[in-house]
Amino acid sequence: MKNVTITVEDATLEWVRIEAARRNTSVSRLVGEMLTDKMQHDDAYARAQRDWVADTSSFSSGGKVYPVRDLNIG
């Protein structure tokens, strides 16, 4: 585990101190958990996006003809 120094606005620091106290934890642990959650969320989103792009079945009509759009609008 590594230590880091961060710079935050006064209002942000006040909020995180209150939030850490409410959760009965330290500011350091709370910020570390928030960063871990963010990393896991972003990784899961990136994996889901890669899986969706790789799934070419969603781009197939299954041999059916696509409907023709009516170009005479309005």
Side-chain angles (χ1 to χ4, degrees):
M1 198 146 326
K2 299 286 183 178
N3 291 324
V4 297
T5 301
I6 61 171
T7 303
V8 297
E9 298 291 327
D10 290 344
T12 303
L13 182 57
E14 181 180 348
W15 176 86
V16 77
R17 284 179 173 157
I18 292 168
E19 190 64 20
R22 191 178 68 77
R23 297 182 189 200
N24 197 32
T25 190
S26 68
V27 168
S28 180
R29 183 167 302 264
L30 178 59
V31 171
E33 288 172 0
M34 289 175 159
L35 290 172
T36 298
D37 289 348
K38 173 73 170 138
M39 177 188 68
Q40 291 170 346
H41 175 269
D42 288 357
D43 287 350
Y45 181 86
R47 276 193 309 275
Q49 186 178 30
R50 282 193 305 272
D51 291 348
W52 180 80
V53 169
D55 180 12
T56 58
S57 67
S58 63
F59 302 117
S60 173
S61 69
K64 298 177 186 171
V65 177
Y66 287 108
V68 177
R69 293 180 187 234
D70 183 7
L71 299 179
N72 298 322
I73 300 173

